[in-house]
Amino acid sequence: MDLKTATAIRRLRLVSAPEAISFLLLLVCSVLKRTTEFNAVPVMGMVHGVLFVLYVIFWADAWNRAKWSLKTAALYFVLSVLPAGGFFAERKLRRETEDAVIASRARKEGLVGA
């Protein structure tokens, strides 16, 4: 994995968890709006919208650079629209990056064929 690909995946990882948190908070705010006088939906809606747009931009960049299959790219996109999917995406992306680093080090040390 080259540096630009690793950076693209890292950016996607870094925005995954905050996007998931903002989605869950937006759902809570929506319930509170309907049941109480508290209305934070406009603020949380904007925060979540910005994070979601960043997620989609970083997802497209990571898909392009990492040369994911359509199935893998679709999985990461579907995870972005599920309330807690960002947490699963972050975990899966972390594992993918760690595996790539391990493979790269093994190739460098001559333990496996390139």
Side-chain angles (χ1 to χ4, degrees), residues 23-85:
F23 195 2
L24 293 172
L25 287 175
L26 181 59
L27 292 175
V28 169
C29 289
S30 295
V31 170
L32 289 175
K33 177 184 175 185
R34 308 264 187 264
T35 58
T36 66
E37 296 294 317
F38 183 73
N39 184 12
V41 171
V43 173
M44 278 313 302
M46 183 186 66
V47 169
H48 174 66
V50 167
L51 288 170
F52 181 74
V53 168
L54 284 174
Y55 184 96
V56 171
I57 290 169
F58 294 158
W59 165 80
D61 186 38
W63 181 12
N64 181 40
R65 292 187 188 278
K67 306 294 186 231
W68 288 333
S69 67
L70 183 60
K71 181 181 173 184
T72 302
L75 171 69
Y76 286 123
F77 186 79
V78 167
L79 287 174
S80 75
V81 297
L82 297 176

Side-chain angles (χ1 to χ4, degrees), residues 102-103 105-114:
I102 290 169
R105 287 181 182 161
R107 278 192 300 272
K108 223 182 249 187
E109 294 174 8
L111 297 176
V112 295

